Each structure stands twice: as structure tokens, then as C-alpha cells.
Amino acid sequence: TSDFSQYTLGYDIPALPGMKVEEVQTPALIVDLDAFDHNLLKMRDEIAKYGVRHRAHCKMHKSAEIAKLQMEQGHACGVCCQKVSEAETLARAGITDIMVSNEVCDPYKIDRLAQLPKLGVRILVCTDNLPNIAALSEAAVKQGTELEVLVELDCGGSRCGVADSAAVLELATAIIAAPNLRFAGIQSYQGAAQHAYEYADRKALMDTAITITKDAVDLLESKEIHCDIVGGGGTGSYPFEAASGVFNELQCGSYLFMDADYRRVKDKDGQYLPAFEHALFLLTSIMSTDIDGQAVCDAGLKAHSIDTGPPEVFERPDLQSLDYSDEHGVLKDPQNTLKINDKIKLVPGHCDPTCNLHDWYVGVRGGVVETLWHVTARGKFY
Ligand code: PLP
Ligand code: MN
């Protein structure tokens, strides 16, 4: 988006390019564009270093504009999303290589998914059961399209996915035999490893995940079934997948924005993961200071998700996040430094569900609004 003339400031959009950050209408998500660029290019360098592909996970930001930047500047080979309506949004916006890294089971959703290749889009989807493969095939035949299908393997996350290599082989064989489906490989995402704060815990989970995945890939190879994609990995685990020699496609999402919970994840040396910077902030305004030692801001539960704990107050160790209700956030301000209308930057506890609460990202550089990005797939969870 570059023409904002159709929008009314404050009603439709929280800011206009050229405004000072202090003038942004709060609560608003602001993106520090220097940190964003750093993260974007850091991941580009990481995949070059390891010699793997990156299929950027867009469930995190839900923005087609950001997805394009990840592909063009960040050298992502394509994108992931979790929902058919997210895939529809991204496809309509011109993204041409989209994996739904999830099971799609509802007949209407399967039919919608099977229509998407008509837009000139490569569509990939995951599965973990035979009836689903039959349903995907039937819909693709009906629509005259082709769907690429990955078998999802449970490599330790205990979410979706088949239990073992024999089941992977059974489903891969069924996909190969099914009309209008193409077998694309194995989806093997260890969700439980991502936010394991200690390196040793992540390593243990990932050693197991890689062993399970390698076994499945090897069994398929022994039957001359080749995996184009062996996919998995998120911001917390990707160095393990990337170095494994088993995985060839990562699907990190949060690296681009980071959040307070990912900041707790530690590297080998006990230090926090250094690679990525906080790029996403919730800008909020102080609206009451009547109680001694506290200030109330305008960012409550409708502005951010606190499922992984409260946000952190950025670069203000003297201030503490206390309590959040629908429209209010209570901060502990022991020295009574905050005044009415002061702006502070909160680092959201968890970026993904926070982003889904907003329509716009306000891109800021040097204290000035440079651009706005639409959260294109906001609320698209069907
Ligand atoms: N892949 C899948 C299947 C996911 O569900 C997620 C996030 O939950 C990711 C990748 C990306 O993880 P992160 O945002 O932690 O990088
Ligand atoms: Mn998340």
C-alpha cells in the first residue's frame, strides 16, 4: 500500500507516512524498520550459510506485503500459512507458492483450497490420514487442478501427524496413487521445541525429531520415493533442522518480529539468542497517573496477547508490566516518571496472536512513520 488518501486517520488507520511516532494513534503496532531489515537479511544469510530453503511462515504477520518482502529481499522460496482463508488472501495478493502447513479437513475448505491453483498458484497442503487424501484428490479432480501434498509426521510435538515411518510410507503411496495429487514430501515440525528456553532441552528434542524424520526419509528413499520437501523448523529450532542434512526447507515466522517469550530462549553459551532483534512493538499512551507509583496505558487485552506472559516495557527497566484488562494496561512506575500522553513501547509477549488483533503495521524509521502495511489476513482463520 502506498496511497493512503482513501483512509481517515484515526478511524481507518493509526498513522500516515511522515508523521512522528509520538503522533501515531494508539494502541498501534509499530515496526522498527531497521530491526525488521536486520532480521529479514539475517535469515537470508542463515539459509545461504546452511544451504537450505526458507518458506517463511506468514501465520505470524498475516500480511501479504511482508510476505513479498520475505520472498524478494529475504530470498524465501515461498510461504507457509495455517488456514485456507490465509492462503486465499495471500494468493489474491499475488503470492505464487503457498503451503498450508496444516491439515484441511472440512469439505468446503478442501474445495476452496482445490480452486486456488486456478489463480496460477502452487498450493501445498499437509495430511495425516487416508480419508483426507481421498477427499483432497476428489476435490482436485472436480476442480481440474493439482494439489501438492506432504505427509505430516509427528516428530515429537504430539500435535498432528502420523506416528512412524511405516505410516508415512503408507500415506505417501496413497498420495502418489491419487488422481490430481502430487507427493511433495514430509512435514515434520517440532512445535514443542521452539520455546524450550534451555539449549540442552531444545537439542534433546531436536535430536529425537531429526532421528524420526531421517528414518522416514530413508524408508521412502529405499522405496524410490523422493521427498522434494523435508520441511519444519521455527525460530527456536531452525539451526538444528538446517544443519541436520535431513531437512531442506525451514518455515520460521517469529524471527522477523520477535517477542518477549522468544527473548527468553537461550543459546549454547547460556546467552539469549542473539541473531534477531525486537522489531515489533505495541505503542501505547498513558491515560491516567492518579495512583501513586502506577500509570495506566491504553493497551489492554484487545491490543495484545498475554498467553505467554505480559509484554515487556522496552528499554525501561524501571517500569513493570502489572496487569491487563480489556482496554487498560497497568504499569508499575515507582518513581512516577510517566505523564499523561507519554508514549511507551511494549514488546508483546507473543507476536502471532497479537498481530491478529490489528489491521495495520506502522513502519517507523528514525522516529518517523515511513510506511504502513496492511494485516491482510487479519481474522482470516477459516
Ligand atoms: N511451522 C509450523 C507448522 C508452525 O505451526 C509454526 C508456528 O507455530 C512455525 C512453523 C513457525 O514458528 P515460529 O513463529 O516460532 O518461527
Ligand atoms: Mn507463536
Side-chain angles (χ1 to χ4, degrees):
T1 316
S2 55
D3 177 15
F4 299 97
S5 56
Q6 58 177 308
Y7 299 113
T8 302
L9 175 66
Y11 183 72
D12 299 310
I13 46 174
L16 286 168
M19 283 171 74
K20 291 193 209 118
V21 68
E22 303 81 50
E23 297 170 325
V24 172
Q25 300 300 289
T26 61
L29 284 182
I30 59 173
V31 174
D32 177 329
L33 294 174
D34 288 333
F36 176 92
D37 288 346
H38 169 87
N39 295 344
L40 191 72
L41 300 181
K42 177 74 190 175
M43 186 55 82
R44 181 199 66 188
D45 294 347
E46 287 286 271
I47 57 173
K49 180 177 97 186
Y50 287 108
V52 293
R53 297 188 294 264
H54 183 219
R55 179 176 289 282
H57 215 307
C58 295
K59 83 181 223 290
M60 192 281 285
H61 53 72
K62 288 170 136 330
S63 160
E65 285 163 286
I66 294 177
K68 284 180 190 162
L69 291 173
Q70 287 176 302
M71 290 186 69
E72 285 160 17
Q73 294 179 26
H75 296 181
C77 66
V79 301
C80 289
C81 61
Q82 301 286 54
K83 302 299 180 111
V84 175
S85 54
E86 284 178 328
E88 288 169 333
T89 306
L90 294 164
R92 287 176 198 192
I95 306 288
T96 55
D97 194 332
I98 303 170
M99 182 206 288
V100 180
S101 59
N102 213 346
E103 278 64 21
V104 177
C105 300
D106 175 87
Y108 291 95
K109 290 178 183 172
I110 292 175
D111 194 61
R112 280 162 45 214
L113 189 73
Q115 291 179 47
L116 282 178
K118 293 181 189 175
L119 298 178
V121 183
R122 177 190 187 201
I123 293 289
L124 305 108
V125 65
C126 300
T127 189
D128 65 4
N129 65 86
L130 287 169
N132 186 231
I133 293 169
L136 291 168
S137 172
E138 201 180 307
V141 169
K142 181 182 149 207
Q143 295 297 342
T145 56
E146 182 185 74
L147 294 172
E148 296 192 39
V149 184
L150 298 98
V151 177
E152 180 159 11
L153 172 63
D154 176 8
C155 61
S158 303
R159 200 167 63 177
C160 300
V162 298
D164 56 32
S165 302
V168 173
L169 175 61
E170 185 188 16
L171 296 199
T173 306
I175 294 164
I176 291 164
N180 295 46
L181 301 187
R182 180 195 292 264
F183 174 68
I186 296 175
Q187 164 74 357
S188 184
Y189 174 70
Q190 215 313 4
Q194 303 309 322
H195 293 258
Y197 297 153
E198 300 301 328
Y199 178 84
D201 296 340
R202 285 203 309 294
K203 182 171 180 349
L205 292 169
M206 288 312 304
D207 283 350
T208 304
I210 290 165
T211 302
I212 291 171
T213 309
K214 183 176 186 323
D215 190 73
V217 174
D218 288 349
L219 179 64
L220 293 184
E221 288 289 349
S222 77
K223 308 286 180 191
E224 290 177 0
I225 299 172
H226 177 68
C227 294
D228 287 341
I229 298 173
V230 181
T235 303
S237 75
Y238 80 86
F240 296 100
E241 282 93 348
S244 67
V246 176
F247 287 80
N248 60 12
E249 223 173 80
L250 310 177
Q251 42 195 231
C252 306
S254 304
Y255 76 97
L256 196 54
F257 282 171
M258 289 296 284
D259 56 32
D261 199 55
Y262 257 129
R263 189 52 67 205
R264 297 179 193 114
V265 173
K266 291 184 205 135
D267 209 347
K268 227 184 298 196
D269 53 9
Q271 299 296 307
Y272 298 110
L273 285 185
F276 303 107
E277 298 174 2
H278 286 301
L280 181 78
F281 301 95
L282 184 63
L283 189 73
T284 173
S285 305
I286 301 304
M287 56 189 205
S288 174
T289 57
D290 280 350
I291 294 179
D292 184 47
Q294 108 172 11
V296 181
C297 71
D298 63 359
L301 297 173
K302 295 184 195 175
H304 54 161
S305 174
I306 60 168
D307 64 299
T308 59
E312 267 158 35
V313 188
F314 188 60
E315 290 179 342
R316 287 293 301 265
D318 57 316
L319 302 174
Q320 243 188 305
S321 243
L322 274 188
D323 194 30
Y324 291 86
S325 52
D326 289 355
E327 317 285 359
H328 299 83
V330 178
L331 303 165
K332 195 170 159 193
D333 178 17
Q335 288 138 48
N336 294 309
T337 59
L338 291 172
K339 309 270 177 297
I340 298 290
N341 271 334
D342 277 358
K343 310 286 182 219
I344 53 170
K345 286 160 76 178
L346 301 176
V347 177
H350 189 181
C351 52
D352 314 58
T354 297
C355 293
N356 189 48
L357 297 169
H358 293 258
D359 286 318
W360 293 95
Y361 298 115
V362 181
V364 174
R365 207 186 301 269
V368 176
V369 176
E370 188 174 295
T371 190
L372 283 92
W373 292 319
H374 192 217
V375 188
T376 339
R378 185 212 175 158
K380 298 269 185 267
F381 53 13
Y382 313 110

